Amino acid sequence: MGKLKHELWLFSKAQLTAQLATLVDFAISLLLHEVCHLWYVAASFIGAVSGGVTNCAANYRWVFGSDGQKKRYVAFKYLLVWAGSIILNTAGTYALTEVSGKHFIISKAIVSIAVALLWNYQMQRLFVYRNKHLNDRNNTTAVNRNDSI
């Protein structure tokens, strides 16, 4: 039961930082498109970049407890996942906006939720912030506990 509780807490914290990043992303996207009249695809891309920076910084320490990992290593892995996220979000927003004819922010919201759950969280938890040394130590401790029973 402890592992499930931990995973739920981790997911909850990740969702809070994702909401903060989404707020930054959408605010910048709307500002650039509605006020500055920038093409919605470019505005969406710049918003996604801004939200990604916010998310990476918040997740590094608070969510995944990765302060034992080198920042450069985490940043490189985050950049790989983030590039995939930006491509999925930008292409998905474009495709859904063009197909549906709705305002781009509606398409962006739908695509953003799908990408956040199916790509971002999974890749961050399993790849970007995974501390192999810490996981190996936890697995060894669990095996040793089971051996002593």
Side-chain angles (χ1 to χ4, degrees), residues 94-114:
Y94 173 76
L96 194 55
T97 301
E98 294 301 313
V99 168
S100 71
K102 302 281 185 198
H103 190 278
F104 91 98
I105 207 68
I106 293 168
S107 300
K108 183 175 177 65
I110 293 167
V111 171
S112 176
I113 290 167

Side-chain angles (χ1 to χ4, degrees), residues 14-132:
Q15 291 313 299
L16 283 172
T17 60
Q19 293 307 311
L20 173 63
T22 300
L23 179 68
V24 170
D25 176 353
F26 277 57
I28 289 174
S29 295
L30 279 169
L31 177 75
L32 291 174
H33 179 68
E34 299 296 331
V35 177
C36 301
H37 306 291
L38 190 64
W39 182 41
Y40 76 90
V41 174
S44 184
F45 175 80
I46 294 168
V49 169
S50 302
V53 170
T54 302
N55 188 256
C56 185
N59 283 346
Y60 181 73
R61 271 205 171 149
W62 188 64
V63 176
F64 295 103
S66 298
D67 44 334
Q69 295 184 57
K70 292 184 179 186
K71 289 178 183 173
R72 189 175 346 145
Y73 184 59
V74 170
F76 176 72
K77 292 190 296 183
Y78 189 90
L79 187 62
L80 293 175
V81 171
W82 188 24
S85 178
I86 288 171
I87 291 166
L88 290 169
N89 274 294
T90 304
T93 298
Y94 173 76
L96 194 55
T97 301
E98 294 301 313
V99 168
S100 71
K102 302 281 185 198
H103 190 278
F104 91 98
I105 207 68
I106 293 168
S107 300
K108 183 175 177 65
I110 293 167
V111 171
S112 176
I113 290 167
V115 171
L117 294 174
L118 300 173
W119 175 261
N120 293 346
Y121 176 72
Q122 301 304 325
M123 292 300 291
Q124 288 178 25
R125 183 175 70 87
L126 299 172
F127 175 64
V128 175
Y129 298 104
R130 181 173 171 251
N131 189 337
K132 184 170 174 19

